[in-house]
């Protein structure tokens, strides 16, 4: 007996080790010989390598690509060795030339079951053990952080890089391939035949590796150093020769893409004069982190800037290069729509929350400061950035050397500012203020204006510190930007803004999502697709602001850009009216231009071009409306309206964070009904790519005494450590609060955090992963409409409908994987009669249950769902519900679906009847007008549903039955056969097909009649079972040993 038990223990230990080995193989399958593979690299970094989005390659071509990739990496190792050797030679010769001998590297830690923070700590400790210094090599920006590994850029010598990997085999390190430094679509000329046509200026943004540039002075020095080295390479044909595999291309005998890049680089020999005229700006990205901005003039067809970009990619101290594209410009009804969505109900104004003492910074084309909605007739107005806090509306007007200090007739900026805070005064005095046709949402707010326009030319937008700094000096902690541009990756400009917000937690910025909705998914513009900003989409308005065919504020505007972001995050964040918005209209040649006499103008007829009002449409108009609502929230908190809903100065939250404002806005978001496309109207759903978290509704977001029955709970700037869990518990107990609630009450909770800096070009941009989980009676509800944790977004919301005062909502905030030691967050929970619960929780601090890890072959009933999307994948969604279990959703598509992509999901289900439903929000199915999509549902590999052509939805029912098999767990998987299968989870008895004496499990008292009482038979059966299991384990051991033996032979060269 002792021998047998020892054998079982040793087999179990071996099995555990084998499982770890399989996990390691899974990790290494993404790498080639300790090198991050081409496939893995292109998935986590948006670079010029994957410019050919539509290229389809075969398995053979994929293998060729990986081989070419390895060859290019070996070449870069040689160059890194040469750089280190050159530095050593110069030091030996006593040369004054500064050469560090370092190169840029990608370093990834794949240590299993560790957070990014611990992985980075290990990298630093390893470097420190080798050099005595852990601060010089690593970039402050993370490239990638998920459960599999954590990656970042670094600069170091080739010998140090090899030593790191030698000491820690799970730390993968390789030189940066030049082409991976060039951000996607940054080369325009010969490669794509796309030329910049918007003027003579071309801008190239460069991110140095590590801390080479840590001040404006060192940045200027480094820029001169780069230009000198590139001019030398332009003059030397050998120095500018690219490797054959510079651009990986397996589809041709001759690497055409590399040849194109070589042609561009050779053109650099004619660019000496252009390089000499390049101007350089050092941009502060975040604390002690700077980028370089090179501006080219008279660069015909961008040939010289293209050559400059390619040559930059070969420089050892450069990690990221991108071309900056041009930035372009992109309400009295809005007042009540955003406050309550009840006609003429301006509840927050009635409570005295009008934007008083609040300042917003706006950057736009210009501001006509003497329009009656801003005019201050007192003398002394300045437009040089001076802060004039006593002025009626405009407390600062900042101009740049490239901009003027006015707006054009019916200009963009004047309209935008009017929507936020315009307040009519026909004499330009406070005493003459009166309600007008186009007062803003935060009617008593003030503006610090930053001019980015020059006449009809726009927009000249500087880096974040230069942009936001003047406004902060004037007292603004909120910025509204109704401009943006199109890029297909996370760019340096957006990163700059995200980093600023991360460093300044009291600051936030709202940006227009864009007006490219007609072009489908992924059309949200920069910088609104940033992690830490608030992207605003547009819905229609109301009444006189509607034209024929428009449906009102419950419908999205057809032009509003569609998400998600390029790394899959939900965008836009929120929605506000932006179609047919009446606001102030600039008349630069007039003073005090104002409302017309008579009735309010309507959108159908428009307004005279000579009026002081104007109608406009676009997310440019929605953004200031949402910004006005954010100002009202800020005043609400600072005046002490939380938690009672009535003003109490002792309750004031003096400096609410930007993440708190964002959390309040998204937590109260109201779902819209549909979106107009072409000539049709199609449904839209919460969390989809059209409306995100819904339209702003302040009465759904915050308690207001006498106006709603809402109660709120707020946590702001709450720190959580790596691997910590914070647990909160609530009840919707209307009786105890003497509150009258609807029969069905909604518990809503939102979690928002400002995510740390990440490298531009990131493929998965959120690097600190917090998880929000809500449990009611131990049943979990996951955020953002998913059926599992969300590792993609840094905004998470859960809503649960309840009609039971006894239910306890257990809310967990889980720091699943941080790259920093801690992360602050904002949490907002609301509900009618909401109160904190301090009783015994149904469970201890919960964690998200892991998904089933068994293979599909372990299922009793395996459901396989295959969906091939059409050309508009984001319109498609599907779910599988358990009909016999209150239509509980068993599985759904977790992420927005990509276009023209085949998805396959499986799940193990318990015996029950199920309904599969597939939806298309546009109403044209998934075949065949816009692509050839289809769906198929299999039960135990037998088809139970399929189709392709339908309108808005199609569904099918099927039932999964019991099988004569061992018991199954809650996931529908086979439980350990050695466990007791009796009780509630036992399968019903199954008749033997031959009518013989089949043994059954039953709770009936007659069980003794079917189960033998013979002890000898029981002992025999037990021994037989034990040795049967042992035989299986032995077989597994020999199979594993056989694999080890074959692997050893391969390693020895046999």
């Amino acid at each position: 007996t002792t021998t047998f038990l020892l054998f079982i223990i040793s087999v179990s230990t071996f099995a555990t080790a084998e499982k770890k080995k399989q996990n390691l193989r899974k990790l290494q399958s993404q790498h080639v010989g300790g090198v991050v593979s081409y496939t893995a690299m292109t998935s986590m970094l948006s670079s010029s390598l994957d410019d050919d989005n539509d290229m389809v390659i075969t398995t053979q071509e994929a293998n060729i690509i990986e081989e070419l990739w390895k060859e290019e990496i070996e070449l870069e190792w040689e160059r890194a060795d040469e750089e280190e050797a050159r530095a050593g030679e110069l030091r030996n010769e006593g040369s004054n030339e500064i050469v560090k001998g370092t190169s840029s590297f990608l370093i990834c830690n794949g240590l299993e079951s560790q957070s990014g923070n611990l992985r980075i700590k290990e990298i630093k400790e390893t470097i420190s053990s080798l050099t005595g210094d852990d601060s010089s090599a690593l970039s402050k920006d993370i490239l990638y952080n998920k459960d599999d590994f954590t990656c970042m850029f670094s600069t170091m010598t080739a010998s140090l890089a090899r030593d790191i990997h030698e000491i820690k085999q799970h730390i993968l390190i390789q030189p940066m391939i030049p082409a991976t430094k060039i951000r996607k679509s940054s080369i325009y000329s010969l490669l794509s035949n796309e030329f910049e046509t918007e003027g003579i200026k071309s801008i190239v943004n460069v991110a140095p590796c590590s801390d080479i540039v840590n001040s404006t002075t060192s940045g200027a020095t480094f820029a001169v150093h780069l230009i000198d080295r590139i001019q030398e390479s332009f003059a030397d044909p050998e120095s500018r020769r690219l490797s054959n595999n510079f651009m990986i291309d397996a589809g041709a005998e001759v690497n055409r893409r590399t040849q194109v890049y070589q042609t561009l680089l050779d053109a650099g020999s004619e660019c000496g004069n252009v390089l000499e005229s390049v101007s350089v700006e050092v941009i502060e990205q975040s604390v002690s982190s700077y980028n370089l901005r090179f501006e080219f003039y008279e660069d015909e067809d961008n040939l010289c800037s293209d050559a400059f970009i390619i040559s930059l990619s070969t420089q050892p101290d450069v990690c990221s290069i991108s071309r900056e594209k041009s930035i372009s410009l992109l309400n009295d009804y809005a007042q009540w729509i955003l406050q309550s969505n009840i006609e003429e109900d301006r509840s927050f104004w009635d409570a005295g929350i009008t934007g008083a003492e609040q300042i917003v910074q706006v950057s736009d084309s210009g501001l006509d400061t003497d329009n009656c909605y801003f005019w201050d007739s007192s003398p002394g107005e300045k437009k040089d950035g001076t802060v004039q806090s006593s002025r009626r509306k405009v407390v600062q007007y900042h101009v740049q050397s490239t901009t003027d200090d006015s707006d054009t007739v019916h200009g963009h900026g004047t309209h935008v500012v009017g929507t936020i805070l315009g307040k009519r005064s026909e004499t330009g005095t406070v005493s003459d203020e009166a309600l007008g046709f186009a007062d803003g949402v935060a009617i008593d707010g003030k503006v610090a204006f930053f001019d980015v326009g020059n006449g009809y030319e726009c927009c000249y937008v500087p880096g974040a510190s230069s942009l936001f700094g003047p406004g902060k000096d004037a007292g603004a902690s909120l910025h509204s930007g109704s401009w943006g541009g199109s890029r297909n990756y996370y760019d340096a400009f957006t990163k700059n803004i995200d980093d600023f917000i991360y460093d300044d937690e009291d600051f936030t910025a709202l940006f227009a999502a864009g007006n490219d909705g007609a072009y489908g998914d992924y059309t949200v513009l920069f910088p609104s697709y940033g992690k830490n900003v608030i992207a605003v989409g547009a819905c229609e308005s109301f009444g006189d602001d509607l034209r024929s065919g428009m449906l009102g504020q419950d419908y999205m505007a057809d032009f509003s850009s569609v998400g998600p972001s390029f790394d899959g995050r939900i965008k836009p964040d929120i929605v506000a009216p932006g179609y047919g918005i009446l606001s102030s209209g600039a008349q630069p040649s007039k003073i005090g231009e104002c409302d017309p006499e008579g009735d309010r103008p309507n959108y159908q007829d428009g307004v005279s071009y000579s009026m002081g009002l104007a109608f406009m449409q676009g997310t440019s108009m929605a953004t200031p409306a949402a910004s006005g609502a954010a100002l009202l929230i800020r005043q609400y908190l600072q005046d002490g309206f939380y938690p009672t809903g009535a003003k109490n100065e002792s309750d004031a939250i003096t400096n609410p964070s930007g993440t708190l404002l964002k959390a309040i806005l998204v937590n109260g978001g109201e779902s819209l009904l549909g979106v107009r496309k072409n000539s049709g109207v199609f449904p839209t759903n919460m969390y989809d790519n059209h409306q995100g978290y819904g339209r702003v509704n302040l009465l759904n977001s915050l308690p207001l005494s006498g106006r709603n029955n809402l109660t709120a709970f707020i946590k702001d700037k709450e720190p959580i450590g790596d691997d910590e869990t914070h647990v909160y518990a609530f009840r919707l107990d209307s009786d105890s609060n003497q509150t009258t609630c609807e029969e069905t009450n909604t518990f809503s909770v939102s979690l928002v955090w400002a995510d740390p800096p990440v490298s531009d070009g990131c493929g998965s941009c959120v690097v600190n992963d917090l998880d929000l989980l809500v449990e009611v009676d131990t049943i979990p509800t996951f955020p953002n409409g998913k059926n599992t944790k969300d590792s993609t977004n840094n905004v998470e919301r859960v809503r649960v409908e309840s009609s039971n005062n006894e239910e306890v909502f257990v809310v967990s905030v889980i720091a699943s994987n941080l790259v920093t030691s801690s992360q602050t967050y904002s949490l907002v929970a609301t509900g009618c009669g909401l109160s904190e619960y301090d009783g015994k929780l149904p469970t201890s601090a919960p964690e998200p249950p892991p998904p089933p890890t068994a293979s599909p072959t372990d299922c009793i009933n395996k459901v396989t769902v295959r969906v091939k999307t059409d050309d508009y994948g984001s319109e498609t969604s599907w779910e599988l519900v358990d009909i016999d279990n209150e239509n509980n959703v068993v599985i759904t598509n977790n992420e927005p679906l990509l276009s023209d992509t085949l998805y396959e999901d499986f799940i193990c289900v318990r015996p029950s009847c199920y309904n599969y439903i597939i939806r298309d929000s546009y109403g044209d199915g998934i075949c065949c007008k816009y692509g050839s999509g289809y769906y198929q549902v299999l039960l135990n590999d037998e088809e139970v549903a399929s189709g392709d052509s339908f309108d808005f939805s199609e569904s099918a029912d099927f039932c999964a039955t019991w099988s004569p098999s061992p018991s199954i767990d809650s996931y529908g998987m086979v439980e350990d056969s050695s466990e007791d299968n009796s009780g509630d989870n036992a399968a019903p008895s199954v008749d033997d097909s031959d009518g013989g004496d089949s043994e059954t499990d039953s709770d009936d008292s007659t069980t003794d009649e079917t189960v033998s009482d013979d002890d000898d038979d029981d002992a025999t059966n037990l021994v037989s079972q034990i040795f049967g299991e042992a035989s299986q384990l032995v077989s597994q051991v020999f199979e594993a040993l056989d694999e080890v033996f074959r692997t050893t032979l391969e390693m020895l060269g046999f």
Side-chain angles (χ1 to χ4, degrees):
T1 303
T2 303
T3 304
F4 180 74
L5 288 174
L6 287 173
F7 173 75
I8 292 296
I9 292 172
S10 64
V11 168
S12 175
T13 303
F14 182 87
T16 302
E18 180 64 18
K19 182 177 180 181
K20 289 182 177 180
K21 192 161 80 172
Q22 288 174 355
N23 289 338
L24 182 59
R25 286 199 196 99
K26 182 179 179 181
L27 175 66
Q28 291 177 336
S29 68
Q30 301 178 58
H31 311 286
V32 182
V35 172
V36 179
S37 71
Y38 174 88
T39 303
M41 189 68 178
T42 54
S43 69
M44 65 184 179
L45 178 65
S46 175
S47 71
S48 58
L49 284 178
D50 60 344
D51 266 344
D52 293 338
N53 289 326
D54 298 329
M55 182 175 66
V56 179
I57 61 174
T58 65
T59 302
Q60 182 179 5
E61 287 174 332
N63 292 334
I64 294 173
I65 284 177
E66 294 293 357
E67 290 302 316
L68 296 174
W69 177 250
K70 286 195 291 183
E71 290 177 13
E72 186 65 15
I73 290 173
E74 289 302 317
L75 178 60
E76 290 307 314
W77 273 113
E78 293 175 12
R79 288 178 174 169
D81 288 333
E82 291 171 1
E83 189 73 16
E84 183 176 7
R86 177 168 170 259
E89 291 170 0
L90 290 173
R91 282 193 294 269
N92 292 335
E93 295 170 1
S95 172
N96 292 327
E97 184 178 353
I98 301 175
V99 179
K100 290 186 176 183
T102 57
S103 298
S104 53
F105 286 84
L106 174 71
I107 183 166
C108 295
N109 190 336
L111 191 63
E112 288 190 85
S113 303
Q114 295 292 332
S115 67
N117 178 49
L118 294 178
R119 289 170 178 161
I120 294 170
K121 183 179 180 181
E122 184 187 37
I123 293 173
K124 289 182 176 181
E125 289 175 349
T126 305
I127 294 173
S128 180
S129 69
L130 293 167
T131 66
D133 181 12
D134 67 357
S135 62
S136 61
L138 295 181
S139 167
K140 294 180 174 65
D141 296 339
I142 304 301
L143 172 62
Y144 178 90
N145 181 50
K146 295 298 177 188
D147 292 340
D148 48 3
F149 51 89
T150 302
C151 299
M152 59 200 312
F153 297 129
S154 63
T155 51
M156 61 183 68
T157 62
S159 58
L160 175 58
R162 287 192 177 91
D163 290 344
I164 292 171
H165 182 63
E166 183 69 25
I167 294 175
K168 302 285 187 178
Q169 293 289 308
H170 57 271
I171 297 179
L172 308 177
I173 186 164
Q174 67 185 47
M176 285 292 293
I177 307 303
T180 63
K181 300 179 184 179
I182 303 173
R183 291 295 160 258
K184 196 171 184 178
S185 298
S186 288
I187 300 295
Y188 289 97
S189 298
L190 297 180
L191 185 65
S192 60
N193 293 319
E194 295 180 9
F195 303 118
E196 287 281 347
T197 58
E198 302 174 8
I200 59 175
K201 186 167 69 172
S202 176
I203 301 173
V204 177
N205 194 295
V206 176
C209 296
S210 189
D211 59 351
I212 295 169
V213 175
N214 52 24
S215 67
T216 55
T217 302
S218 62
T221 302
F222 183 62
V224 172
H225 168 73
L226 282 178
I227 291 176
D228 288 345
R229 289 190 66 167
I230 289 172
Q231 283 183 317
E232 290 175 6
S233 68
F234 280 172
D236 181 4
E238 186 62 29
S239 296
R240 65 173 187 261
R241 183 175 61 82
L242 299 175
S243 71
N244 291 331
N245 297 330
F246 181 85
M247 294 299 298
I248 307 297
D249 187 357
E253 293 183 14
V254 179
N255 195 325
R256 173 189 162 274
R257 298 179 75 195
T258 296
Q259 285 186 337
V260 170
Y261 274 58
Q262 184 67 66
T263 302
L264 287 171
L265 188 55
D266 288 340
S269 60
E270 306 296 325
C271 293
N273 292 334
V274 176
L275 277 181
E276 290 177 1
S277 66
V278 168
S279 65
V280 180
E281 180 184 1
V282 181
I283 300 174
E284 185 176 5
Q285 284 289 119
S286 57
V287 179
S288 301
S289 177
Y290 296 80
N291 276 11
L292 305 179
R293 201 168 183 249
F294 296 86
E295 295 188 1
F296 286 75
Y297 296 86
E298 306 297 342
D299 180 17
E300 184 177 357
D301 293 338
N302 290 324
L303 288 177
C304 291
S305 55
D306 279 350
F308 184 68
I309 288 172
I310 296 169
S311 186
L312 276 171
S313 72
T314 65
Q315 302 302 312
D317 293 330
V318 170
C319 273
S320 173
I321 312 134
S322 59
R323 183 191 299 280
E324 287 192 12
K325 288 189 178 180
S326 58
I327 296 173
S328 57
L329 297 169
L330 298 165
N331 278 308
D332 63 320
Y333 290 141
Q335 297 160 4
W336 61 258
I337 291 173
L338 296 179
Q339 289 185 49
S340 67
N341 198 35
I342 301 171
E343 188 171 350
E344 298 301 326
D345 183 349
R346 297 171 178 84
S347 295
F348 282 72
W349 282 13
D350 294 341
I353 304 168
T354 58
E357 306 299 322
Q358 299 300 310
I359 298 173
V360 60
Q361 186 194 36
V362 177
S363 55
D364 215 291
S365 61
L367 177 61
D368 185 359
T369 58
D370 58 19
N371 179 283
C372 73
Y373 282 89
F374 319 109
W375 184 28
D376 187 334
S377 58
S378 64
E381 179 186 37
K382 295 182 179 181
K383 293 187 176 181
D384 59 1
T386 300
V387 178
Q388 298 179 285
S389 301
S390 62
R391 303 291 292 180
R392 187 175 81 91
K393 280 294 182 181
V394 184
V395 300
Q396 183 190 55
Y397 198 118
H398 184 91
V399 296
Q400 307 175 79
S401 61
T402 53
T403 64
D404 56 24
D405 62 357
S406 63
D407 203 2
T408 57
V409 176
H410 281 194
H412 191 270
T414 300
H415 191 281
V416 163
V417 176
T419 302
I420 301 176
L421 48 75
K423 189 172 187 180
R424 190 182 71 170
S425 174
E426 293 186 348
T427 62
T429 61
V430 173
S431 60
D432 196 34
E433 289 179 339
L435 293 179
F437 289 147
D439 293 312
V441 175
I443 192 171
D444 287 325
K446 296 187 177 185
V447 64
F449 192 80
F450 192 104
D451 201 318
V452 296
N454 189 351
Y456 288 96
E457 293 183 8
C458 195
C459 300
Y460 302 92
V461 184
S465 295
S466 299
L467 174 62
F468 300 140
K472 285 187 63 65
D473 292 341
S477 292
L478 188 146
H479 184 94
S480 184
S482 291
W483 44 262
S486 176
R487 287 181 191 157
N488 54 359
Y489 65 95
Y490 183 80
D491 64 290
F493 185 88
T494 302
K495 166 186 162 47
N496 186 202
I497 291 175
D498 272 346
D499 293 357
F500 185 95
I501 295 173
Y502 176 76
D503 290 332
D504 187 346
E505 62 182 352
D506 293 338
F507 188 83
T508 194
L510 293 86
F511 288 101
N515 304 325
D516 294 338
Y519 299 104
D521 300 348
Y522 301 102
T523 51
V524 172
L525 304 182
F526 81 87
S528 69
Y529 57 50
K531 301 184 295 181
N532 300 332
V533 304
I534 302 173
V536 185
C539 63
E540 295 180 359
S541 188
F542 177 85
D544 290 337
D545 285 355
L546 302 179
R547 282 180 176 167
S548 176
M550 296 172 63
L551 299 172
Q553 72 268 28
D554 290 333
Y555 292 83
M556 291 293 298
D558 54 1
F559 55 74
S560 188
S561 282
V562 182
S565 67
F566 285 96
D567 64 327
R569 285 174 290 111
I570 293 174
K571 290 289 175 176
D573 295 296
I574 55 175
V575 172
Y579 205 158
I581 302 301
L582 182 66
S583 186
S584 48
Q587 297 289 344
S589 62
K590 299 180 180 181
I591 294 178
E593 67 273 15
C594 205
D595 297 354
E597 294 185 5
D599 295 333
R600 180 190 189 276
N602 64 76
Y603 189 36
Q604 186 74 37
D605 298 332
V607 296
S608 168
Y609 205 54
S610 62
M611 286 184 184
L613 297 178
F615 276 106
M616 290 188 183
Q617 57 278 333
T619 54
S620 282
M621 285 61 250
T623 301
S627 297
L631 280 186
L632 298 184
I633 293 173
R634 206 164 186 280
Q635 182 192 350
Y636 175 99
L637 297 171
Q638 290 185 326
D639 284 357
F641 278 82
Y642 170 78
T644 63
K647 186 174 182 178
N648 185 347
E649 292 182 0
S650 62
D651 288 332
I653 301 176
T654 308
N655 294 306
S657 71
T659 55
L660 178 57
L661 298 187
K662 189 174 182 179
I664 291 172
L665 286 168
V666 303
N667 195 58
E670 190 168 18
S671 182
L672 301 185
L673 300 179
V675 56
R676 292 195 310 124
K677 288 187 177 182
N678 299 326
S679 59
V681 180
F682 306 97
T684 178
N685 302 306
M686 191 67 79
Y687 309 116
D688 71 7
N689 298 325
H690 293 285
Q691 63 171 297
Y693 296 91
R695 188 189 58 236
V696 174
N697 186 329
L698 297 186
L699 214 55
N700 279 359
S701 304
L702 293 166
L704 197 60
S705 181
R707 298 289 180 169
N708 62 17
N709 294 323
L710 206 64
T711 310
F713 171 87
I714 288 175
K715 279 286 184 180
D716 192 25
K717 305 176 186 177
E718 187 72 14
I720 186 170
D722 189 22
D723 204 31
E724 284 185 358
T725 297
H726 292 177
V727 180
Y728 308 90
F730 306 96
R731 289 177 68 176
L732 300 180
D733 191 352
S734 58
D735 294 338
S736 64
N737 291 318
Q738 297 181 344
T739 302
T740 302
C741 299
E742 299 292 336
E743 183 176 341
T744 299
N745 200 346
T746 300
F747 173 75
S748 183
V749 59
S750 296
L751 169 71
V752 178
W753 68 97
D755 201 57
V758 65
S759 172
D760 64 303
C762 52
S764 183
C765 298
V766 171
V767 293
N768 269 358
D769 183 14
L770 301 185
D771 290 314
L772 177 65
L773 179 70
V774 176
E775 287 196 331
V776 180
D777 293 332
T778 72
I779 299 174
T781 302
F782 296 97
N784 298 341
K786 299 177 182 291
N787 62 359
T788 187
K789 60 171 285 186
D790 185 342
S791 298
T792 304
N793 293 282
N794 60 326
V795 179
E796 300 188 3
R797 187 181 73 186
V798 173
R799 282 186 173 169
V800 180
E801 300 296 326
S802 173
S803 57
N804 180 0
N805 285 347
E806 300 302 316
E807 288 180 332
V808 177
F809 300 85
V810 181
V811 177
S812 296
V813 178
I814 307 160
S816 297
N817 182 6
L818 306 186
V819 297
T820 52
S821 59
S822 64
Q823 170 70 54
T824 59
Y825 66 83
S826 295
L827 185 75
V828 176
T830 56
C832 182
L834 179 77
S835 62
E836 291 186 73
Y837 177 74
D838 56 5
K840 184 178 179 181
L841 298 180
T843 62
S844 58
E847 295 183 0
T853 56
S855 69
T857 57
D858 293 326
C859 291
I860 290 295
N861 287 301
K862 179 185 70 173
V863 174
T864 303
V865 177
R866 296 186 184 125
V867 175
K868 169 67 165 56
T869 57
D870 61 7
D871 295 340
Y872 294 89
S874 68
E875 297 172 358
T876 305
S877 62
W878 60 266
E879 64 184 17
L880 181 70
V881 301
D882 188 339
I883 299 173
D884 295 340
N885 187 20
E886 299 181 351
N887 287 324
N888 178 51
V889 176
V890 177
I891 187 173
T892 184
N893 57 295
N894 292 326
E895 304 287 348
L897 300 182
L898 301 178
S899 300
D900 193 26
T901 303
L902 177 62
Y903 292 88
E904 181 172 284
D905 295 271
F906 85 89
I907 187 170
C908 301
V909 299
R910 297 185 63 82
S912 185
C913 289
Y914 296 89
N915 172 258
Y916 174 80
I917 182 168
I918 184 168
R919 300 181 177 91
D920 184 271
S921 61
Y922 194 83
D924 61 356
I926 53 178
C927 186
C928 300
K929 188 175 181 181
Y930 300 105
S932 300
Y934 65 88
Y935 72 90
Q936 184 183 34
V937 182
L938 306 175
L939 174 63
N940 297 326
D941 299 325
E942 294 288 336
E943 183 178 294
V944 292
S946 63
D948 47 27
S949 179
F950 54 91
D951 46 27
F952 288 104
S953 66
E954 191 164 271
S955 64
D957 296 341
F958 62 92
C959 295
T961 58
W962 287 99
S963 301
S965 306
S967 64
I968 57 178
D969 62 18
S970 60
Y971 292 113
M973 290 184 176
V974 180
E975 290 183 339
D976 189 340
S977 60
S978 63
E979 294 179 0
D980 182 11
N981 288 330
S982 63
D984 294 338
N985 289 328
S989 58
V990 180
D991 292 336
D992 189 297
S993 59
D994 296 327
D997 295 330
S998 161
E999 197 173 288
T1000 63
D1001 289 329
S1002 173
D1003 290 331
D1004 194 278
S1005 59
T1006 61
T1007 301
D1008 290 342
E1009 297 177 13
T1010 59
V1011 179
S1012 172
D1013 290 327
D1014 193 301
D1015 292 340
D1016 292 338
D1017 288 345
D1018 286 345
T1020 301
N1021 290 337
L1022 179 60
V1023 171
S1024 177
Q1025 179 182 351
I1026 291 174
F1027 277 96
E1029 293 175 356
S1031 176
Q1032 292 180 358
L1033 289 172
V1034 170
S1035 176
Q1036 292 174 6
V1037 169
F1038 279 111
E1039 288 178 3
L1041 290 173
D1042 180 63
E1043 183 179 350
V1044 171
F1045 179 70
R1046 286 188 287 103
T1047 302
T1048 304
L1049 289 178
E1050 290 175 1
M1051 293 175 60
L1052 294 175
F1054 292 99

